[in-house]
Amino acid sequence: MLRNKKILITYQGFTLAECLISLVVLMGLLLFLKPFLSMITQVDNHITKDNYLELLIGKIQIESEIKEMTFQKIDNNKLYYLSEDDEKIVFEQYKNMIRKTNDSKGHQPIVMGVDIVVFSEEKGLVKMEVTTLEGETYSYFLFN
């Protein structure tokens, strides 16, 4: 004998309130994520600019060269070093570049596209502040 059974079917799902709360949380996360992503994009664009990379490579080149030299002085915005064979080496701005000169052999360009370079000494370190032709300013410390 078959009886008439009522089958109650229930659906598992989300209520309207749960959906609205999850949407509010998601929108809040997206609001905070957008400025963060734009900041990361700006930093990436800044770091990959040619000026920044060239200045960084120039700084590394200067530091590798002065490792084996003796710091003498900063005079008239020029860095004076003495090489191991007692040759006077000068790092200075010349036109739109930072160049390295020595007593008798001309000059070697280190960084191009430079508007202003200021060398100063701070607490035993040499500070090199460079302004590019595009108006961006970078500060580096060179270890003596």
Side-chain angles (χ1 to χ4, degrees):
M1 303 195 170
L2 295 174
R3 287 192 209 166
N4 234 352
K5 290 187 179 179
K6 290 186 180 178
I7 300 175
L8 181 61
I9 299 176
T10 58
Y11 293 103
Q12 297 285 332
F14 297 106
T15 65
L16 181 60
E18 290 171 332
C19 289
L20 289 176
I21 290 172
S22 64
L23 284 174
V24 167
V25 170
L26 183 63
M27 292 303 292
L29 288 174
L30 290 176
L31 284 173
F32 286 112
L33 190 61
K34 185 180 183 305
F36 179 72
L37 289 176
S38 66
M39 181 182 67
I40 287 176
T41 304
Q42 288 174 353
V43 168
D44 183 55
N45 289 342
H46 179 74
I47 288 175
T48 56
K49 283 186 177 177
D50 290 339
N51 292 339
Y52 177 77
L53 294 175
E54 185 175 351
L55 283 170
L56 194 57
I57 291 169
K59 175 200 174 275
I60 292 168
Q61 181 180 351
I62 291 171
E63 281 183 332
S64 69
E65 291 187 20
I66 65 175
K67 273 183 191 176
E68 288 142 33
M69 297 182 197
T70 306
F71 175 72
Q72 297 294 303
K73 63 182 175 177
I74 297 175
D75 188 29
N76 292 328
N77 206 32
K78 296 179 183 179
L79 285 176
Y80 290 90
Y81 284 89
L82 196 61
S83 69
E84 290 178 340
D85 54 347
D86 292 330
E87 188 176 26
K88 184 172 67 174
I89 307 294
V90 179
F91 294 94
E92 64 181 344
Q93 179 178 0
Y94 175 73
K95 297 184 181 179
N96 289 332
M97 72 173 85
I98 299 173
R99 71 177 183 174
K100 171 188 163 189
T101 62
N102 53 20
D103 290 334
S104 61
K105 298 178 185 154
H107 76 268
Q108 171 190 1
I110 304 289
V111 179
M112 305 295 288
V114 172
D115 187 29
I116 300 169
V117 178
V118 177
F119 296 107
S120 60
E121 191 171 4
E122 293 184 17
K123 298 177 184 177
L125 300 175
V126 174
K127 181 180 180 183
M128 179 175 73
E129 192 167 328
V130 181
T131 303
T132 65
L133 293 174
E134 287 79 22
E136 297 171 330
T137 301
Y138 302 94
S139 294
Y140 299 104
F141 287 95
L142 306 171
F143 297 96
N144 297 330

